Amino acid sequence: MYTFEQLLNKNEEIWKAAQEFEAKSCEVPVETVRKCALNSLHAMKEAVKTGLNSTVMSMSGMCGDDCDRLQKYYSKNPSIFGHVFEKILEYSLATSEENIRMGKIAACPTAGSCGIVPSVLLALAEEFKKSEEEQINALLTAGEVGRIISGKVALAGAVAGCQAECGTASAMAAAAAVQLLGGNPKQIVNAVGLSLKNLLGLTCDPVCGLVEIPCVKRNPFMAIHAMCACEMALAGVETKIPVDEIVDAMEQTGQLMSPALKESSLGGLARTKTALELKKKLFNL
Amino acid sequence: MKQTSIFDVISPIMIGPSSSHTAGAVRLGLLARNIYNRPFQKIVFRLYNSYALTGKGHGTEKGLLAGVMGFGVDDRRIKDVFEHVENIDYAFEYEENFKKHPNSVDFIFDDMKIYGESIGAGEVLIRKIDDFEVELTGKYNTLVLVYDDVAGMISKVTTIIQQKNINIATLHCDRYSKGGKASMVISIDGELDARTVSDVKALDKVYFVTYVKKLDE
């Protein structure tokens, strides 16, 4: 298994198909699969909680205190987009900052993109009082989306750029959100497509080769991107290009992308004047 | 199409910031520890290329050391691992060598050298034990042996494993030269007991046997 088309042809809830497939291929009961998902969910909640209360900087000193800045701002100036928007930005920053200060996170799909799925999932679950079982269903849905994409594209910036890491995370988050808000499998798959095709070509050009600039602050952007896809899909907006073809396009785009823009730090943001100065300072070159 | 799992994309639960440079480093360390499989007082880590250049910002040194000390990828002690070291004399060396993988490392023990690569998303590959080419991913329990390259060795070893009714997942052999020293790496489904391992050790012309436990998921 398989493609998004085959997934839709099963005519069942995506989380259900996912847990059955996983149980079968690992030769474990479905309950074990759900238990593993719950472990990831707990790790996500813990990372958010810890991250919201920390201002410890990363080893490079470049990142670590922006979530605090955002929380202070919102306490006096509520977001014009409402409370959920605030939470999504805060939770995603909290998680990715926790990551770069060597805190404990759940890679989703990677460590650099670890704030995107949890922020959307947890903010919506809190706001709409979703049960733990519903949250697990949403996470399994996200997992199934990531798994299918990873069957075609390596989810590594060095292979296919950031579209494969934060892009996939955003598609996974969009799927989790639609699932959580009661959408059907077709809407979930449309949300995946809408999200992915609007991130094709996203480069991986980390400053100093570290998972910090632009990675940390990219997480909240990608989380909000997921919400755009979620709401459009819930409204019945469809992607005209089928999702499986979009994934093929992502793979091809990754191949066409210059190696300078794939985690080598030889191009893009990593080669700006300021980035080179930071590198000099950091590594005493 | 390769076999994929949901848990490749919603885990591992790990100490950040990088799956390849932090979690991958821990897993390489854990595998090196399992291969060496006996106490040690001294170790040198030689970091290559991106591991050497961006390792500090990613906690790669900490991860490697934590791994050989047996800490898991989600162990909070990784961050302050230097404070947890007892009775191990360790050192780090750095080298640019474009014949090596971008994220790679040598674990240099007193009497053994292990070379491994972090190949992405926390997946790792041990490629060399001393001068023998091997392929260890940590996904299977694996038997590694060095022996004289004489006829019938593969059959003798696999017969011992077969008698326990254990399925062999992959088998990889390499040799220095015809009739010289050779290596065999056998990954299996299931587990080998100590008795089976010692039966292999007892074979004539076998010099070195180590049973490498797979890494926890």
Tab-separated table of all heavy atoms in Angstrom, chain A residues 216-275:
chain	number	residue	atom	x	y	z
A	216	VAL	N	13.089	27.214	12.474
A	216	VAL	CA	12.266	27.397	13.678
A	216	VAL	C	11.027	28.229	13.377
A	216	VAL	O	9.903	27.826	13.675
A	216	VAL	CB	13.097	28.059	14.811
A	216	VAL	CG1	12.200	28.455	15.973
A	216	VAL	CG2	14.180	27.094	15.286
A	217	LYS	N	11.215	29.365	12.743
A	217	LYS	CA	10.075	30.254	12.479
A	217	LYS	C	9.250	29.800	11.274
A	217	LYS	O	8.135	30.255	11.071
A	217	LYS	CB	10.556	31.696	12.310
A	217	LYS	CG	11.086	32.272	13.625
A	217	LYS	CD	11.288	33.763	13.582
A	217	LYS	CE	12.683	34.158	13.186
A	217	LYS	NZ	13.711	33.960	14.210
A	218	ARG	N	9.803	28.885	10.498
A	218	ARG	CA	9.025	28.350	9.379
A	218	ARG	C	7.889	27.464	9.901
A	218	ARG	O	6.835	27.349	9.272
A	218	ARG	CB	9.937	27.548	8.431
A	218	ARG	CG	9.181	26.969	7.248
A	218	ARG	CD	10.110	26.520	6.148
A	218	ARG	NE	10.747	27.670	5.518
A	218	ARG	CZ	11.718	27.574	4.604
A	218	ARG	NH1	12.153	26.402	4.234
A	218	ARG	NH2	12.243	28.663	4.068
A	219	ASN	N	8.070	26.848	11.037
A	219	ASN	CA	7.048	25.953	11.586
A	219	ASN	C	5.691	26.634	11.754
A	219	ASN	O	4.686	26.115	11.268
A	219	ASN	CB	7.532	25.314	12.894
A	219	ASN	CG	8.354	24.059	12.658
A	219	ASN	OD1	7.899	22.947	12.885
A	219	ASN	ND2	9.576	24.210	12.165
A	220	PRO	N	5.596	27.792	12.439
A	220	PRO	CA	4.277	28.449	12.527
A	220	PRO	C	3.685	28.820	11.164
A	220	PRO	O	2.475	28.688	10.966
A	220	PRO	CB	4.547	29.705	13.364
A	220	PRO	CG	5.992	29.743	13.642
A	220	PRO	CD	6.590	28.436	13.318
A	221	PHE	N	4.536	29.238	10.229
A	221	PHE	CA	4.001	29.575	8.902
A	221	PHE	C	3.339	28.359	8.247
A	221	PHE	O	2.258	28.440	7.677
A	221	PHE	CB	5.127	30.102	7.989
A	221	PHE	CG	5.471	31.543	8.253
A	221	PHE	CD1	6.511	31.879	9.100
A	221	PHE	CD2	4.737	32.558	7.650
A	221	PHE	CE1	6.811	33.211	9.355
A	221	PHE	CE2	5.047	33.894	7.899
A	221	PHE	CZ	6.080	34.217	8.762
A	222	MET	N	4.008	27.226	8.346
A	222	MET	CA	3.488	26.009	7.709
A	222	MET	C	2.237	25.494	8.416
A	222	MET	O	1.383	24.857	7.809
A	222	MET	CB	4.570	24.925	7.701
A	222	MET	CG	5.779	25.273	6.866
A	222	MET	SD	5.363	25.529	5.134
A	222	MET	CE	5.486	27.293	5.011
A	223	ALA	N	2.130	25.771	9.709
A	223	ALA	CA	0.952	25.349	10.462
A	223	ALA	C	-0.274	26.143	9.995
A	223	ALA	O	-1.359	25.586	9.787
A	223	ALA	CB	1.187	25.547	11.960
A	224	ILE	N	-0.083	27.435	9.802
A	224	ILE	CA	-1.192	28.271	9.329
A	224	ILE	C	-1.559	27.891	7.885
A	224	ILE	O	-2.725	27.856	7.516
A	224	ILE	CB	-0.829	29.777	9.440
A	224	ILE	CG1	-0.636	30.157	10.915
A	224	ILE	CG2	-1.892	30.652	8.776
A	224	ILE	CD1	-1.815	29.844	11.826
A	225	HIS	N	-0.544	27.589	7.105
A	225	HIS	CA	-0.758	27.110	5.734
A	225	HIS	C	-1.680	25.882	5.752
A	225	HIS	O	-2.606	25.762	4.940
A	225	HIS	CB	0.605	26.759	5.128
A	225	HIS	CG	0.579	26.300	3.712
A	225	HIS	ND1	0.667	27.164	2.649
A	225	HIS	CD2	0.475	25.063	3.178
A	225	HIS	CE1	0.620	26.472	1.519
A	225	HIS	NE2	0.497	25.192	1.815
A	226	ALA	N	-1.438	25.003	6.703
A	226	ALA	CA	-2.266	23.791	6.837
A	226	ALA	C	-3.720	24.159	7.119
A	226	ALA	O	-4.655	23.529	6.602
A	226	ALA	CB	-1.720	22.900	7.954
A	227	MET	N	-3.919	25.202	7.925
A	227	MET	CA	-5.294	25.617	8.248
A	227	MET	C	-6.016	26.190	7.031
A	227	MET	O	-7.231	26.021	6.891
A	227	MET	CB	-5.292	26.630	9.401
A	227	MET	CG	-4.989	26.024	10.763
A	227	MET	SD	-5.979	24.555	11.158
A	227	MET	CE	-7.638	25.237	11.137
A	228	CYS	N	-5.294	26.862	6.154
A	228	CYS	CA	-5.911	27.352	4.900
A	228	CYS	C	-6.442	26.158	4.116
A	228	CYS	O	-7.577	26.166	3.633
A	228	CYS	CB	-4.892	28.081	4.024
A	228	CYS	SG	-4.244	29.564	4.745
A	229	ALA	N	-5.590	25.120	3.991
A	229	ALA	CA	-5.978	23.927	3.241
A	229	ALA	C	-7.171	23.249	3.915
A	229	ALA	O	-8.109	22.803	3.242
A	229	ALA	CB	-4.797	22.972	3.159
A	230	CYS	N	-7.132	23.178	5.234
A	230	CYS	CA	-8.202	22.527	6.001
A	230	CYS	C	-9.545	23.202	5.745
A	230	CYS	O	-10.543	22.547	5.414
A	230	CYS	CB	-7.848	22.578	7.490
A	230	CYS	SG	-9.233	22.214	8.581
A	231	GLU	N	-9.578	24.520	5.886
A	231	GLU	CA	-10.868	25.210	5.760
A	231	GLU	C	-11.390	25.183	4.327
A	231	GLU	O	-12.579	25.037	4.091
A	231	GLU	CB	-10.756	26.637	6.313
A	231	GLU	CG	-10.427	26.596	7.806
A	231	GLU	CD	-10.851	27.831	8.581
A	231	GLU	OE1	-11.157	28.867	7.957
A	231	GLU	OE2	-10.862	27.740	9.830
A	232	MET	N	-10.487	25.306	3.350
A	232	MET	CA	-10.927	25.214	1.948
A	232	MET	C	-11.509	23.828	1.674
A	232	MET	O	-12.561	23.697	1.045
A	232	MET	CB	-9.746	25.469	1.003
A	232	MET	CG	-9.403	26.932	0.866
A	232	MET	SD	-8.313	27.145	-0.567
A	232	MET	CE	-7.417	28.567	-0.059
A	233	ALA	N	-10.819	22.797	2.160
A	233	ALA	CA	-11.284	21.433	1.909
A	233	ALA	C	-12.627	21.186	2.584
A	233	ALA	O	-13.525	20.569	2.001
A	233	ALA	CB	-10.246	20.427	2.402
A	234	LEU	N	-12.784	21.691	3.808
A	234	LEU	CA	-14.069	21.525	4.508
A	234	LEU	C	-15.199	22.231	3.754
A	234	LEU	O	-16.354	21.806	3.792
A	234	LEU	CB	-13.975	22.061	5.947
A	234	LEU	CG	-13.230	21.166	6.942
A	234	LEU	CD1	-13.044	21.885	8.279
A	234	LEU	CD2	-13.958	19.838	7.166
A	235	ALA	N	-14.849	23.326	3.066
A	235	ALA	CA	-15.858	24.063	2.297
A	235	ALA	C	-16.196	23.351	0.988
A	235	ALA	O	-17.102	23.763	0.265
A	235	ALA	CB	-15.331	25.469	1.997
A	236	GLY	N	-15.434	22.283	0.674
A	236	GLY	CA	-15.709	21.546	-0.558
A	236	GLY	C	-14.805	21.929	-1.716
A	236	GLY	O	-15.000	21.475	-2.838
A	237	VAL	N	-13.791	22.773	-1.447
A	237	VAL	CA	-12.831	23.107	-2.501
A	237	VAL	C	-12.001	21.860	-2.800
A	237	VAL	O	-11.578	21.154	-1.887
A	237	VAL	CB	-11.905	24.264	-2.046
A	237	VAL	CG1	-10.827	24.538	-3.099
A	237	VAL	CG2	-12.719	25.520	-1.778
A	238	GLU	N	-11.800	21.592	-4.090
A	238	GLU	CA	-11.045	20.401	-4.461
A	238	GLU	C	-9.783	20.772	-5.219
A	238	GLU	O	-9.729	21.804	-5.883
A	238	GLU	CB	-11.910	19.475	-5.325
A	238	GLU	CG	-13.107	18.945	-4.554
A	238	GLU	CD	-13.868	17.880	-5.319
A	238	GLU	OE1	-13.524	17.644	-6.501
A	238	GLU	OE2	-14.789	17.296	-4.728
A	239	THR	N	-8.793	19.910	-5.134
A	239	THR	CA	-7.598	20.110	-5.958
A	239	THR	C	-7.850	19.493	-7.329
A	239	THR	O	-8.287	18.354	-7.431
A	239	THR	CB	-6.327	19.512	-5.295
A	239	THR	OG1	-5.309	19.443	-6.294
A	239	THR	CG2	-6.564	18.108	-4.739
A	240	LYS	N	-7.589	20.289	-8.368
A	240	LYS	CA	-7.855	19.788	-9.721
A	240	LYS	C	-6.818	18.752	-10.126
A	240	LYS	O	-7.095	17.847	-10.896
A	240	LYS	CB	-7.860	20.946	-10.731
A	240	LYS	CG	-8.986	21.953	-10.478
A	240	LYS	CD	-10.352	21.410	-10.889
A	240	LYS	CE	-11.453	22.460	-10.735
A	240	LYS	NZ	-11.844	22.695	-9.322
A	241	ILE	N	-5.599	18.926	-9.612
A	241	ILE	CA	-4.560	17.914	-9.871
A	241	ILE	C	-4.660	16.868	-8.753
A	241	ILE	O	-4.567	17.205	-7.586
A	241	ILE	CB	-3.149	18.546	-9.842
A	241	ILE	CG1	-3.057	19.777	-10.757
A	241	ILE	CG2	-2.081	17.505	-10.193
A	241	ILE	CD1	-3.125	19.494	-12.224
A	242	PRO	N	-4.852	15.600	-9.094
A	242	PRO	CA	-4.963	14.573	-8.052
A	242	PRO	C	-3.718	14.523	-7.161
A	242	PRO	O	-2.603	14.761	-7.641
A	242	PRO	CB	-5.114	13.277	-8.846
A	242	PRO	CG	-5.562	13.687	-10.204
A	242	PRO	CD	-4.991	15.044	-10.442
A	243	VAL	N	-3.944	14.215	-5.884
A	243	VAL	CA	-2.850	14.272	-4.908
A	243	VAL	C	-1.669	13.383	-5.304
A	243	VAL	O	-0.508	13.772	-5.135
A	243	VAL	CB	-3.354	13.857	-3.510
A	243	VAL	CG1	-2.246	14.017	-2.489
A	243	VAL	CG2	-4.527	14.711	-3.117
A	244	ASP	N	-1.934	12.200	-5.822
A	244	ASP	CA	-0.820	11.315	-6.194
A	244	ASP	C	0.074	11.966	-7.242
A	244	ASP	O	1.291	11.799	-7.226
A	244	ASP	CB	-1.359	9.974	-6.706
A	244	ASP	CG	-2.037	9.190	-5.590
A	244	ASP	OD1	-1.396	8.990	-4.547
A	244	ASP	OD2	-3.212	8.809	-5.757
A	245	GLU	N	-0.548	12.736	-8.139
A	245	GLU	CA	0.255	13.427	-9.158
A	245	GLU	C	1.043	14.585	-8.545
A	245	GLU	O	2.142	14.909	-8.988
A	245	GLU	CB	-0.653	13.925	-10.295
A	245	GLU	CG	-1.277	12.779	-11.080
A	245	GLU	CD	-2.191	13.265	-12.210
A	245	GLU	OE1	-1.920	14.332	-12.800
A	245	GLU	OE2	-3.190	12.558	-12.483
A	246	ILE	N	0.454	15.197	-7.519
A	246	ILE	CA	1.174	16.285	-6.835
A	246	ILE	C	2.414	15.728	-6.135
A	246	ILE	O	3.485	16.332	-6.160
A	246	ILE	CB	0.253	17.002	-5.823
A	246	ILE	CG1	-0.925	17.657	-6.557
A	246	ILE	CG2	1.034	18.050	-5.029
A	246	ILE	CD1	-2.005	18.201	-5.648
A	247	VAL	N	2.256	14.537	-5.540
A	247	VAL	CA	3.409	13.911	-4.883
A	247	VAL	C	4.490	13.589	-5.919
A	247	VAL	O	5.683	13.809	-5.678
A	247	VAL	CB	2.993	12.643	-4.098
A	247	VAL	CG1	4.217	11.973	-3.478
A	247	VAL	CG2	1.982	12.990	-3.018
A	248	ASP	N	4.075	13.097	-7.089
A	248	ASP	CA	5.048	12.862	-8.169
A	248	ASP	C	5.752	14.167	-8.551
A	248	ASP	O	6.964	14.192	-8.777
A	248	ASP	CB	4.342	12.299	-9.420
A	248	ASP	CG	3.873	10.856	-9.199
A	248	ASP	OD1	4.398	10.201	-8.282
A	248	ASP	OD2	2.976	10.407	-9.941
A	249	ALA	N	4.953	15.240	-8.620
A	249	ALA	CA	5.533	16.549	-8.974
A	249	ALA	C	6.538	16.989	-7.916
A	249	ALA	O	7.570	17.587	-8.228
A	249	ALA	CB	4.425	17.591	-9.124
A	250	MET	N	6.236	16.679	-6.655
A	250	MET	CA	7.156	17.039	-5.573
A	250	MET	C	8.474	16.290	-5.728
A	250	MET	O	9.554	16.869	-5.578
A	250	MET	CB	6.518	16.722	-4.223
A	250	MET	CG	7.410	17.009	-3.056
A	250	MET	SD	6.458	17.250	-1.549
A	250	MET	CE	6.853	15.793	-0.676
A	251	GLU	N	8.363	15.015	-6.064
A	251	GLU	CA	9.578	14.223	-6.244
A	251	GLU	C	10.417	14.787	-7.392
A	251	GLU	O	11.625	14.980	-7.269
A	251	GLU	CB	9.213	12.757	-6.526
A	251	GLU	CG	10.415	11.848	-6.447
A	251	GLU	CD	10.248	10.572	-7.254
A	251	GLU	OE1	9.230	10.431	-7.968
A	251	GLU	OE2	11.147	9.735	-7.183
A	252	GLN	N	9.715	15.104	-8.503
A	252	GLN	CA	10.431	15.630	-9.660
A	252	GLN	C	11.054	16.991	-9.345
A	252	GLN	O	12.198	17.268	-9.705
A	252	GLN	CB	9.472	15.742	-10.852
A	252	GLN	CG	10.191	16.020	-12.149
A	252	GLN	CD	9.357	16.816	-13.123
A	252	GLN	OE1	8.484	17.597	-12.729
A	252	GLN	NE2	9.609	16.617	-14.393
A	253	THR	N	10.280	17.838	-8.653
A	253	THR	CA	10.800	19.152	-8.274
A	253	THR	C	12.057	18.993	-7.416
A	253	THR	O	13.042	19.716	-7.588
A	253	THR	CB	9.723	19.947	-7.496
A	253	THR	OG1	8.548	20.007	-8.283
A	253	THR	CG2	10.200	21.355	-7.176
A	254	GLY	N	12.032	18.046	-6.511
A	254	GLY	CA	13.190	17.773	-5.660
A	254	GLY	C	14.411	17.398	-6.471
A	254	GLY	O	15.527	17.840	-6.201
A	255	GLN	N	14.181	16.595	-7.503
A	255	GLN	CA	15.301	16.180	-8.352
A	255	GLN	C	15.855	17.351	-9.158
A	255	GLN	O	17.062	17.457	-9.373
A	255	GLN	CB	14.858	15.075	-9.310
A	255	GLN	CG	14.721	13.725	-8.634
A	255	GLN	CD	14.083	12.673	-9.543
A	255	GLN	OE1	13.828	12.943	-10.718
A	255	GLN	NE2	13.811	11.511	-9.005
A	256	LEU	N	14.948	18.218	-9.601
A	256	LEU	CA	15.377	19.358	-10.431
A	256	LEU	C	16.053	20.452	-9.610
A	256	LEU	O	16.768	21.289	-10.153
A	256	LEU	CB	14.167	19.953	-11.160
A	256	LEU	CG	13.537	19.074	-12.245
A	256	LEU	CD1	12.239	19.697	-12.741
A	256	LEU	CD2	14.510	18.858	-13.394
A	257	MET	N	15.805	20.464	-8.308
A	257	MET	CA	16.339	21.508	-7.442
A	257	MET	C	17.864	21.367	-7.351
A	257	MET	O	18.375	20.263	-7.227
A	257	MET	CB	15.724	21.301	-6.057
A	257	MET	CG	15.391	22.550	-5.309
A	257	MET	SD	14.745	22.070	-3.681
A	257	MET	CE	13.021	22.154	-3.992
A	258	SER	N	18.560	22.489	-7.388
A	258	SER	CA	20.021	22.444	-7.298
A	258	SER	C	20.459	21.902	-5.932
A	258	SER	O	19.853	22.222	-4.918
A	258	SER	CB	20.577	23.853	-7.478
A	258	SER	OG	21.875	23.919	-6.945
A	259	PRO	N	21.535	21.118	-5.919
A	259	PRO	CA	22.059	20.642	-4.627
A	259	PRO	C	22.397	21.795	-3.675
A	259	PRO	O	22.381	21.616	-2.463
A	259	PRO	CB	23.331	19.884	-5.012
A	259	PRO	CG	23.147	19.516	-6.441
A	259	PRO	CD	22.289	20.587	-7.049
A	260	ALA	N	22.660	22.974	-4.236
A	260	ALA	CA	22.979	24.133	-3.391
A	260	ALA	C	21.804	24.513	-2.498
A	260	ALA	O	21.967	25.176	-1.476
A	260	ALA	CB	23.369	25.317	-4.266
A	261	LEU	N	20.599	24.076	-2.884
A	261	LEU	CA	19.393	24.436	-2.133
A	261	LEU	C	18.817	23.251	-1.371
A	261	LEU	O	17.665	23.250	-0.958
A	261	LEU	CB	18.335	25.012	-3.089
A	261	LEU	CG	18.788	26.269	-3.834
A	261	LEU	CD1	17.778	26.662	-4.908
A	261	LEU	CD2	18.991	27.422	-2.853
A	262	LYS	N	19.641	22.213	-1.206
A	262	LYS	CA	19.158	21.026	-0.507
A	262	LYS	C	20.063	20.698	0.682
A	262	LYS	O	20.858	19.779	0.633
A	262	LYS	CB	19.035	19.848	-1.481
A	262	LYS	CG	17.895	20.050	-2.497
A	262	LYS	CD	17.583	18.814	-3.311
A	262	LYS	CE	18.586	18.565	-4.395
A	262	LYS	NZ	18.127	17.540	-5.362
A	263	GLU	N	19.935	21.448	1.705
A	263	GLU	CA	20.594	21.225	2.992
A	263	GLU	C	22.116	21.322	2.963
A	263	GLU	O	22.772	20.984	3.948
A	263	GLU	CB	20.162	19.856	3.574
A	263	GLU	CG	20.035	19.874	5.096
A	263	GLU	CD	19.655	18.517	5.670
A	263	GLU	OE1	18.780	17.860	5.088
A	263	GLU	OE2	20.230	18.140	6.703
A	264	SER	N	22.685	21.778	1.855
A	264	SER	CA	24.142	21.863	1.793
A	264	SER	C	24.643	23.214	2.299
A	264	SER	O	25.840	23.393	2.511
A	264	SER	CB	24.608	21.669	0.353
A	264	SER	OG	24.050	22.680	-0.466
A	265	SER	N	23.710	24.147	2.485
A	265	SER	CA	24.060	25.505	2.907
A	265	SER	C	25.017	26.190	1.937
A	265	SER	O	25.850	26.997	2.320
A	265	SER	CB	24.638	25.512	4.333
A	265	SER	OG	23.673	25.075	5.246
A	266	LEU	N	24.898	25.857	0.652
A	266	LEU	CA	25.739	26.474	-0.373
A	266	LEU	C	24.984	27.522	-1.186
A	266	LEU	O	25.542	28.129	-2.090
A	266	LEU	CB	26.287	25.393	-1.318
A	266	LEU	CG	27.251	24.380	-0.689
A	266	LEU	CD1	27.568	23.261	-1.678
A	266	LEU	CD2	28.530	25.065	-0.233
A	267	GLY	N	23.685	27.703	-0.880
A	267	GLY	CA	22.921	28.678	-1.645
A	267	GLY	C	21.815	29.295	-0.803
A	267	GLY	O	21.660	28.968	0.369
A	268	GLY	N	21.053	30.188	-1.445
A	268	GLY	CA	19.895	30.781	-0.782
A	268	GLY	C	20.239	31.579	0.462
A	268	GLY	O	21.245	32.279	0.509
A	269	LEU	N	19.410	31.452	1.502
A	269	LEU	CA	19.607	32.199	2.744
A	269	LEU	C	20.979	31.946	3.354
A	269	LEU	O	21.588	32.843	3.927
A	269	LEU	CB	18.551	31.769	3.776
A	269	LEU	CG	17.163	32.384	3.688
A	269	LEU	CD1	16.290	31.785	4.784
A	269	LEU	CD2	17.246	33.890	3.834
A	270	ALA	N	21.452	30.704	3.199
A	270	ALA	CA	22.724	30.322	3.823
A	270	ALA	C	23.911	31.057	3.216
A	270	ALA	O	24.986	31.109	3.814
A	270	ALA	CB	22.928	28.815	3.710
A	271	ARG	N	23.729	31.632	1.997
A	271	ARG	CA	24.847	32.341	1.357
A	271	ARG	C	24.664	33.855	1.393
A	271	ARG	O	25.372	34.580	0.693
A	271	ARG	CB	25.001	31.885	-0.096
A	271	ARG	CG	25.479	30.452	-0.217
A	271	ARG	CD	26.889	30.270	0.253
A	271	ARG	NE	27.882	30.778	-0.691
A	271	ARG	CZ	29.189	30.673	-0.516
A	271	ARG	NH1	29.654	30.096	0.568
A	271	ARG	NH2	30.019	31.136	-1.417
A	272	THR	N	23.716	34.328	2.192
A	272	THR	CA	23.581	35.773	2.317
A	272	THR	C	24.772	36.328	3.103
A	272	THR	O	25.452	35.578	3.814
A	272	THR	CB	22.274	36.154	3.054
A	272	THR	OG1	22.263	35.481	4.310
A	272	THR	CG2	21.048	35.751	2.256
A	273	LYS	N	24.980	37.634	2.972
A	273	LYS	CA	26.121	38.276	3.633
A	273	LYS	C	26.065	38.030	5.142
A	273	LYS	O	27.045	37.648	5.771
A	273	LYS	CB	26.061	39.779	3.318
A	273	LYS	CG	27.193	40.602	3.835
A	273	LYS	CD	27.147	42.008	3.215
A	273	LYS	CE	27.852	43.030	4.084
A	273	LYS	NZ	26.992	43.642	5.089
A	274	THR	N	24.863	38.230	5.702
A	274	THR	CA	24.717	38.078	7.153
A	274	THR	C	24.930	36.626	7.587
A	274	THR	O	25.547	36.365	8.623
A	274	THR	CB	23.318	38.559	7.590
A	274	THR	OG1	23.174	39.908	7.160
A	274	THR	CG2	23.142	38.484	9.089
A	275	ALA	N	24.422	35.692	6.774
A	275	ALA	CA	24.592	34.280	7.124
A	275	ALA	C	26.069	33.905	7.156
A	275	ALA	O	26.531	33.191	8.054
A	275	ALA	CB	23.850	33.395	6.126
